[in-house]
Amino acid sequence: MDAMEAATLTQLYLERNKIGDDGVGILVDALQNNKSLTTLNLKRNDEISDQGRLKLLKLVNDISCIKATLQSNHTLRKLLVEYIDIDPSTDSELGEIIQRQIDVATEINRNSGSDTELAGREKCIQTQLNSETRAELAALQGINHSVYSEIDPIHLPEVLSLVDQHHGQGELYVALKSSIAGVISIVNLKKCMQQEKEYHAAKAAKHAAIAAEHRAKVEEIDAKLATIDQAAEANQDGRDSQSNKRRRT
C-alpha cells in the first residue's frame, strides 16, 4: 500500500478476487491512514462475511471512543461490498444494517469533500451523539460504555448544545439522562472553584489590610522624619543667627 500512496491511487477495483475476511483485514490495516483512495470496490467477493464487513465499517467509522471516530478513514467516498445471503443460517438483516452504516459513513466523507477534520466532526455529531444510531453501532462493534463517560464535564454544556441543535429536544433529554453524573460533576466543580475563589479573595483582602497598615506606618514614620528634619533646620538657622550677631559686636 506504500506504493499505492506514492502513486496517489484514487480508485481500486477488486471484484471477483476471492477476497475473504483475512484479505479485508489486510486492506483495512493498509487504508487506516490512507489519504488518497476514494473508491474501493469489493463486489463479487462472496467469501466476505459479516465479520469482514464489520472491519470495513470500523475503518470508516470506529465508535470505540471519540478519538477513534476522529481518526477513522475520512477519505473513502465509495466502499462497495455486495451483500449476498448465500447461507440461510446467517442473519441477513445484520448484513443490511452493516452496509447501511457503511453507506452513512462514506456519505459523510463525500459531503465533507477533502476536509477530513469536518468529516470526523460530522461523524461524531451524527453517530456518537445520536442515541439510536450509536446504540446500533455499539451493538455492531461490541461497545458497552456511554460516550458521555469519556467527555470532560467542562465540555458537557457545549456537547449538549450540539445535541439539541442537530438532533432536537428528544435526544437532548436522552443525553441529559446519560450525562447526569457529568452534570453533577460540573456543579460540584463549580462549587469547589467558588470556594477556592472565596478563599483567595479573603487572602487578598487580608494582605490588602496588612499592606494598608504598613503603608500607614510608613507615612507615620515619614511624618516624624519630616518633623525631625524641620527641627534640625530650625536649630541650624538659630545657630547661624547667633553667630552673625557675635560678628557685629
Side-chain angles (χ1 to χ4, degrees):
M1 197 59 66
D2 289 340
M4 184 188 303
E5 286 280 11
T8 60
L9 184 66
T10 59
Q11 299 181 9
L12 184 60
Y13 294 88
L14 297 172
E15 305 105 311
R16 301 179 187 275
N17 270 273
K18 297 183 179 180
I19 296 173
D21 294 344
D22 290 341
V24 168
I26 293 171
L27 284 169
V28 165
D29 289 341
L31 291 172
Q32 191 65 54
N33 299 309
N34 185 279
K35 305 298 182 185
S36 61
L37 193 72
T38 60
T39 299
L40 175 61
N41 190 335
L42 293 172
K43 284 186 175 182
R44 301 298 178 183
N45 288 287
D46 300 344
E47 295 180 20
I48 298 177
S49 71
D50 287 340
Q51 292 305 311
R53 291 180 182 82
L54 283 173
K55 292 177 182 179
L56 292 169
L57 171 57
K58 197 168 183 179
L59 169 67
V60 291
N61 192 12
D62 183 348
I63 68 153
S64 57
C65 64
I66 291 176
K67 183 178 179 180
T69 302
L70 293 172
Q71 293 179 344
S72 297
N73 183 297
H74 306 311
T75 305
L76 276 171
R77 302 177 185 181
K78 289 184 180 180
L79 180 47
L80 309 173
V81 50
E82 202 165 43
Y83 181 74
I84 302 175
D85 187 15
I86 58 175
D87 184 352
S89 66
T90 61
D91 185 354
S92 60
E93 184 180 355
L94 176 61
E96 293 170 1
I97 293 172
I98 296 171
Q99 186 59 55
R100 174 163 50 79
Q101 290 296 348
I102 289 174
D103 293 341
V104 168
T106 52
E107 183 180 5
I108 291 174
N109 289 353
R110 283 196 303 276
N111 293 339
S112 301
S114 58
D115 192 340
T116 56
E117 184 175 335
L118 174 61
R121 183 174 184 273
E122 282 301 308
K123 286 176 186 177
C124 284
I125 292 173
Q126 298 303 328
T127 61
Q128 289 277 26
L129 299 183
N130 182 291
S131 61
E132 291 186 5
T133 303
R134 190 180 189 280
E136 187 171 86
L137 285 166
L140 291 173
Q141 298 185 21
I143 309 302
N144 56 15
H145 66 270
S146 168
V147 67
Y148 295 99
S149 66
E150 59 182 283
I151 296 176
D152 189 323
I154 289 293
H155 301 304
L156 264 179
E158 180 183 357
V159 171
L160 293 174
S161 176
L162 283 173
V163 172
D164 184 31
Q165 179 183 347
H166 290 272
H167 304 302
Q169 292 192 350
E171 278 297 317
L172 177 60
Y173 175 70
V174 174
L176 281 168
K177 285 175 60 180
S178 301
S179 61
I180 189 65
V183 173
I184 293 173
S185 295
I186 291 176
V187 173
N188 291 337
L189 179 62
K190 287 181 68 176
K191 184 177 179 181
C192 289
M193 292 179 70
Q194 185 64 37
Q195 290 174 344
E196 186 178 3
K197 175 185 174 182
E198 291 171 359
Y199 168 78
H200 288 293
K203 282 288 187 181
K206 181 179 179 180
H207 287 303
I210 294 173
E213 181 181 344
H214 285 296
R215 281 196 298 272
K217 206 68 175 174
V218 168
E219 291 172 359
E220 180 184 345
I221 293 171
D222 282 342
K224 289 180 179 179
L225 287 171
T227 300
I228 292 172
D229 288 341
Q230 289 173 0
E233 186 177 346
N235 289 335
Q236 183 63 43
D237 290 342
R239 286 195 295 272
D240 290 344
S241 176
Q242 289 291 332
S243 177
N244 290 334
K245 285 180 180 179
R246 290 193 194 97
R247 289 195 191 96
R248 292 195 197 101
T249 58

